[in-house]
Amino acid sequence: MAEDRDPLTLDVDRDYVGWITLDQPESRVNLLTAPSLALLDRLIGELESRIATGKLVAVVVRSAKPGSFVHGLDVRELERVRDRSDAFEKSREAQRIFRRLERLTVPTLAAVDGMCLGGGTELIIACEHRIGSDDTTTRLGLPEVRLGILPGFGGSVRLPALVGIQSALDLILSGKTISADRAKRIGLLDRIAPKPRFEMEVSAFLKEILAGKARGKPRKKPLAKRLLEDTGPGRSLLFSIAERKTAARTKGWYPAPGRALRLVAETYGLPIDQALELEAHALAELAVTRESRSLVRIFLLQQDAKRRLGEEAMGQARRVERAAVLGAGVMGGSIAELIASHDVPVILKDIEQEALDSGLRHANELLQKASSKGRFSSGEAGLKFALIQGTLSYDKFSEVDLVIEAVVERMAVKQQVLQDVEERVPSHTIIATNTSSLSVTTLAEASSRPDRVVGIHFFNPVHRMPLVEIVRTEATSEEVLAAAFSFAVAMGKTPVLVADRPGFLVNRLLAPYLNETGYLLDDGADVLSIDAALEEFGMPMGPCRLLDEIGLDVADHVSVEMERAFGQRMRAAGVVDGLRSEGLLGRKNGRGFYRYEGAQQKGVEPVVAKRYSGTGDADAPDAEEIRQRTLHLMVNEAAYAIEEGVVESAGELDLSLVMGIGFPPFRGGLLSWADREGIPNIVESLSNFEERLGDRFAPAGLLRSMAEEDLTFTDAD
Ligand SMILES: NC(=O)c1ccc[n+]([C@@H]2O[C@H](COP(=O)([O-])OP(=O)(O)OC[C@H]3O[C@@H](n4cnc5c(N)ncnc54)[C@H](O)[C@@H]3O)[C@@H](O)[C@H]2O)c1
């Protein structure tokens, strides 16, 4: 039943303290929306009237939502921005409301318990005082740059004034979040209180404020900070260093951090109303850029992916309370770590003690690394590690809700393992496979309950790659599918539903892209120019580097499978096979396309450099040709995949490539990029290559008909 409660309420207690409570109905988190801002405006009007009649002494802003103070602006509001002047007006309106809050003539206190992001942080810094709970869910930040914009509700102006330029830039330009403790240290919070006593401490702080005792001494800045921030030349130096660093980091692909930096430089020290107007102009400029539109699209696709099966199915999905992972290799150890890090007990089983020890060691290292990055304390890391029970036996399998098999990639072994498991687990247990190239349907043929078999395909490295492909077979039940989805979401991953076709989605699209690298080398391009061409496009690493990371043995195996499945258009180039047979396996043995010493890459492997030195001929592939051949083939394969129903929408395909291989998010995903390139242009380019280089470039039927009918992928969604 729909609730018609307001997302914000005002209660004035008998001591004349006004409590504004945020609690958005039917939502796990509080978000700012145009209506909730309008309501805040109305409540502030009511507070003003009470102040005028002497019936109000202070205002507290708090949240009634566990774990969420305010998660920021509802991103759909950004999607709805029509044009620059619309963005400007929206920013001005929110600024006016926060300014009105700031101008109240009684003390205002923000009580922050839970996530405080974007507009939430901008709201609390329009208050006079701020107290935060020490709960781990309390994190603060201004993630706007991650959506290609900047804080435009006063945050770009008020934060530098409150915490100093360097600390403010650290937050605004990176979009990262910080703990309550760190927020207190930089002066974003005045005080932290233990979570169990939070309400009491808020009241106590309020009493001090009302007694006039809370106005602490202004924080004395260290000398270096004063020299840099409080003098003209110091500030110039500071901004020019920040500009250089930002340009290096964003490589000209992301305009927001650079614009935010310029804005802070322009507005620091200006009268606030003048500064706010400049802020709204800067926001409006960014909100309509292609980069921001792309980032917003990807963000919303990610949100949609998590709700893909609908609230009802997800609500009813069985929660995994105990899990087991089979195979303690590269993937198994990392999957067990992921599960334990989310506080779910997990059995890790292998058949070799040595492999088990190595998997457990790897899991422990990952937990320690996460704790050194501040994700949790080292004590917690220890507790989480204790949730992983390493074993060589099937004892205790009678208690697990989910088994994920990550044993060697051989059908016969996997089928045997599946049968062994089924004899030992309860009837409700979900049996998932992490296979990357075998058919889940064939695997399920060995099962006595194929409706409970599903693919949960993680990517390597598991802790870093946000994508999980959920592979359904004809037999997989809806209930199992929903449980697999909700498990992936509970593990912090983005699930995408894919059909059981060879390579599923991401590896299939990667295959022609990586294979073409071999043909390019044969045609006279060299390793460095191939990688540079795609890195310039925005790929996190070029295809030769990626092949080294995957391992040339694994890549070769995959390419054989792909050729078997898809024939001529995936005919292996032979380069990877050649290098592998000479013992070059990639990063894992220090020699692949590049040479490695420990973690360091030491230039192109001499054997490779000699063989593929680049012909330097005028007709050797240049950067443009390298990009077209690799990326247009990927688009072509995407068209086949969509035609075959491997994935349901262009949006899900785009999201999968961004989350699965780091396809540049500012380009909005492969198909969104292809649409902008023009489908007819891509068909023409493929046809030209087909004529010159062979059948593998033959445009897919779907692509041809789209070109003829002037259709785009993203419009079809
Ligand atoms: N490595 C990757 O990048 C990657 C990525 C995604 C998916 N996968 C898939 O994950 C699975 C595992 O891959 P990996 O790279 O971790 O392999 P791996 O060779 O590193 O590990 C496999 C482990 O399984 C163990 N094992 C073999 N038979 C077993 C059995 N009957 N019971 C329990 N353990 C058994 C082996 O001792 C070994 O420790 C494969 O299906 C692979 O396709 C791998």
Side-chain angles (χ1 to χ4, degrees):
M1 212 170 67
E3 296 176 67
D4 53 3
R5 216 159 33 77
D6 282 333
L8 271 87
T9 47
L10 170 63
D11 300 290
V12 179
D13 67 19
R14 45 175 201 212
D15 296 326
Y16 295 137
V17 175
W19 297 82
I20 293 184
T21 310
L22 295 128
D23 191 3
Q24 192 169 329
E26 294 178 53
S27 170
R28 260 184 332 103
V29 299
N30 288 320
L31 294 174
L32 295 179
T33 58
S36 70
L37 283 167
L39 180 57
L40 177 62
D41 194 30
R42 251 198 2 255
L43 298 183
I44 297 171
E46 197 178 323
L47 294 169
E48 284 168 348
S49 311
R50 285 176 184 271
I51 293 169
T53 52
K55 293 277 168 54
L56 198 86
V57 295
V59 177
V60 184
V61 183
R62 63 180 174 181
S63 158
K65 195 78 81 188
S68 172
F69 176 75
V70 172
H71 266 72
L73 180 72
D74 184 341
V75 178
R76 300 216 182 260
E77 298 280 345
L78 270 176
E79 194 191 26
R80 281 194 278 271
V81 164
R82 287 187 306 275
D83 52 28
R84 201 160 153 166
S85 81
D86 185 36
F88 179 76
E89 290 308 322
K90 285 182 168 142
S91 158
R92 292 300 278 162
E93 177 61 3
Q95 287 178 343
R96 182 188 64 72
I97 297 166
F98 287 4
R99 186 85 176 102
R100 193 174 180 193
L101 174 68
E102 185 177 50
R103 279 191 163 129
L104 289 177
T105 50
V106 296
T108 48
L109 168 66
V112 186
D113 178 26
M115 208 54 141
C116 179
L117 299 177
T121 298
E122 298 184 280
L123 170 66
I124 68 166
I125 59 179
C127 294
E128 197 180 354
H129 306 273
R130 285 156 296 278
I131 178 169
S133 88
D134 69 354
D135 196 69
T136 48
T137 63
T138 305
R139 296 194 66 83
L140 300 93
L142 289 165
E144 283 82 350
V145 289
R146 299 194 175 183
L147 293 172
I149 56 168
L150 48 71
F153 294 178
S156 303
V157 172
R158 286 194 184 94
L159 193 67
L162 181 68
V163 303
I165 299 171
Q166 290 173 92
S167 299
L169 290 181
D170 185 37
L171 286 181
I172 295 172
L173 304 189
S174 69
K176 70 181 179 191
T177 63
I178 54 173
S179 65
D181 187 46
R182 172 104 192 106
K184 163 86 172 52
R185 268 183 284 141
I186 66 168
L188 174 52
L189 290 175
D190 303 313
R191 198 170 280 203
I192 320 183
K195 165 82 178 171
R197 294 207 312 269
F198 188 59
E199 280 174 31
M200 262 157 45
E201 298 270 347
V202 170
S203 299
F205 190 27
L206 186 64
K207 266 200 195 110
E208 282 180 46
I209 292 168
L210 289 172
K213 291 187 197 148
R215 193 148 296 290
K217 277 184 258 138
R219 296 149 57 84
K220 185 152 166 50
K221 290 186 193 173
L223 178 64
K225 193 165 174 175
R226 261 182 292 152
L227 287 176
L228 273 176
E229 299 199 353
D230 299 346
T231 67
R235 277 199 297 275
S236 302
L237 178 66
L238 195 161
F239 285 125
S240 78
I241 294 172
E243 202 176 313
R244 226 176 320 119
K245 280 197 192 150
T246 305
R249 203 161 42 82
T250 57
K251 302 186 181 144
W253 295 326
Y254 296 92
R259 185 67 189 89
L261 178 61
R262 277 209 328 274
L263 175 70
V264 173
E266 277 160 24
T267 54
Y268 190 75
L270 276 190
I272 183 158
D273 289 314
Q274 211 177 323
L276 288 175
E277 190 170 348
L278 293 173
E279 182 190 82
H281 279 298
L283 170 83
E285 231 175 79
L286 291 174
V288 295
T289 54
R290 191 168 52 68
E291 290 80 1
S292 173
R293 297 288 195 197
S294 295
L295 294 170
V296 165
R297 174 169 180 265
I298 295 294
F299 180 90
L300 291 173
L301 283 168
Q302 200 178 353
Q303 300 291 309
D304 291 346
K306 295 180 181 168
R307 302 192 197 104
R308 169 74 159 71
L309 301 186
E311 301 272 328
E312 203 183 325
M314 292 294 269
Q316 287 169 2
R318 188 182 189 117
R319 265 203 28 225
V320 172
E321 284 172 9
R322 271 169 197 284
V325 175
L326 299 176
V330 178
M331 295 303 283
S334 321
I335 297 170
E337 186 271 344
L338 176 77
I339 297 174
S341 75
H342 288 83
D343 300 319
V344 176
V346 54
I347 300 172
L348 178 61
K349 179 188 179 306
D350 205 291
I351 45 170
E352 310 248 353
Q353 186 65 45
E354 212 176 301
L356 182 61
D357 291 344
S358 139
L360 287 168
R361 209 168 35 245
H362 181 53
N364 196 21
E365 277 163 15
L366 288 170
L367 286 166
Q368 294 303 334
K369 216 183 265 171
S371 95
S372 72
K373 285 197 175 143
R375 271 192 43 218
F376 32 75
S377 69
S378 72
E380 276 174 279
L383 290 174
K384 287 174 193 290
F385 184 61
L387 290 175
I388 309 179
Q389 189 201 334
T391 175
L392 298 177
S393 82
Y394 278 114
D395 290 353
K396 303 245 175 93
F397 271 59
S398 59
E399 293 165 18
V400 299
D401 305 308
L402 166 73
V403 177
I404 302 178
E405 77 74 20
V407 305
V408 281
E409 189 73 338
R410 280 208 297 276
M411 184 57 86
V413 179
K414 286 191 190 281
Q415 286 192 328
Q416 183 60 55
V417 162
L418 180 120
Q419 287 171 347
D420 293 347
V421 166
E422 280 184 347
E423 282 172 19
R424 290 157 171 107
V425 294
S427 60
H428 78 267
T429 305
I430 297 163
I431 318 263
T433 172
N434 184 48
T435 179
S436 24
S437 63
L438 301 175
S439 156
V440 184
T441 307
T442 312
L443 175 64
E445 278 163 12
S447 163
S448 57
R449 33 188 135 133
D451 59 309
R452 311 217 61 81
V453 179
V454 66
I456 301 186
H457 183 215
F458 289 93
F459 289 77
N460 187 17
V462 174
H463 66 289
R464 249 194 276 133
M465 302 309 289
L467 183 71
V468 170
E469 289 178 335
I470 306 282
V471 191
R472 95 188 288 177
T473 72
E474 303 251 309
T476 311
S477 76
E478 293 297 323
E479 176 217 332
V480 166
L481 201 62
F485 251 78
S486 103
F487 168 73
V489 174
M491 296 296 111
K493 299 295 181 193
T494 303
V496 171
L497 184 60
V498 298
D500 187 19
R501 296 277 298 140
F504 310 128
L505 179 65
V506 170
N507 287 345
R508 172 172 173 176
L509 300 191
L510 214 42
Y513 168 87
L514 293 176
N515 194 29
E516 195 56 24
T517 304
Y519 287 112
L520 283 163
L521 289 168
D522 280 337
D523 292 348
D526 65 277
V527 169
L528 291 178
S529 17
I530 295 175
D531 278 359
L534 286 143
E535 281 162 20
E536 276 160 24
F537 177 79
M539 290 294 198
M541 61 179 78
C544 299
R545 270 284 313 278
L546 182 56
L547 282 162
D548 277 358
E549 294 294 328
I550 293 171
L552 302 194
D553 49 346
V554 174
D556 184 48
H557 173 76
V558 172
S559 80
V560 171
E561 294 291 322
M562 290 294 157
E563 186 175 341
R564 187 165 31 219
F566 300 109
Q568 187 59 17
R569 72 173 191 272
M570 298 248 192
R571 199 164 59 81
V575 170
V576 169
D577 183 29
L579 296 178
R580 176 201 57 84
S581 60
E582 289 168 57
L584 273 62
L585 301 184
R587 187 185 272 284
K588 68 176 87 165
N589 75 343
R591 293 176 71 202
F593 286 97
Y594 295 91
R595 226 160 35 81
Y596 303 88
E597 273 172 30
Q600 285 196 327
Q601 192 226 92
K602 296 279 182 188
V604 177
E605 156 66 36
V607 172
V608 176
K610 192 151 162 248
R611 194 170 310 159
Y612 304 108
S613 56
T615 57
D617 292 351
D619 60 351
D622 61 8
E624 196 48 38
E625 179 174 333
I626 291 168
R627 282 191 285 269
Q628 287 183 355
R629 281 171 61 174
T630 50
L631 295 167
H632 290 178
L633 274 180
M634 212 188 223
V635 173
N636 206 31
E637 197 54 39
Y640 282 115
I642 291 210
E643 225 174 351
E644 288 169 29
V646 173
V647 67
E648 196 150 276
S649 65
E652 283 175 304
L653 189 145
D654 279 353
L655 179 69
S656 302
L657 283 186
V658 170
M659 300 285 144
I661 64 164
F663 190 90
F666 69 93
R667 297 199 185 272
L670 178 73
L671 298 181
S672 170
W673 169 77
D675 282 349
R676 280 195 309 276
E677 287 283 288
I679 303 299
N681 296 335
I682 293 181
V683 170
E684 192 187 329
S685 136
L686 286 167
S687 304
N688 291 339
F689 286 129
E690 181 187 3
E691 212 165 285
R692 179 152 75 86
L693 302 165
D695 289 354
R696 67 182 184 279
F697 287 97
L702 176 68
L703 218 51
R704 279 185 197 281
S705 59
M706 284 176 70
E708 274 159 23
E709 291 168 41
D710 203 19
L711 296 175
T712 64
F713 283 109
T714 39
D715 282 349
D717 265 4

